[in-house]
Amino acid sequence: MPDLMRLHLTANLPIRVEPLVFAGRVEFRLGNAFPAVLVVDAEALPRLAEAVAEGQTALNAARGGQ
């Protein structure tokens, strides 16, 4: 898949959050020297939180409930 961008987030990856109030968005900067930036519309933040929770639940289930 040549159009796929993959980011590997680790426990010690610096993540900085900046609200972009004028645009109704939140900016997540991942990393330090050459950060990747994820910009999320305010209306999409609950869905992003759901997706993270779904991923955590699926991973825990796959690991046998750990």
Side-chain angles (χ1 to χ4, degrees), residues 34-48:
F34 301 102
V37 177
L38 175 65
V39 179
V40 182
D41 286 344
E43 297 82 19
L45 284 169
R47 179 60 193 123
L48 178 61

Side-chain angles (χ1 to χ4, degrees), residues 3-66:
D3 294 337
L4 180 70
M5 180 161 89
R6 182 180 299 249
L7 299 173
H8 182 161
L9 279 64
T10 60
N12 60 351
L13 178 74
I15 301 175
R16 292 177 306 289
V17 179
E18 181 70 31
L20 304 174
V21 179
F22 61 91
R25 298 178 177 137
V26 177
E27 178 181 276
F28 297 89
R29 288 183 176 247
L30 310 167
N32 279 329
F34 301 102
V37 177
L38 175 65
V39 179
V40 182
D41 286 344
E43 297 82 19
L45 284 169
R47 179 60 193 123
L48 178 61
E50 283 176 20
V52 170
E54 288 172 19
Q56 182 70 57
T57 300
L59 186 57
N60 287 343
R63 289 180 171 169
Q66 293 178 355

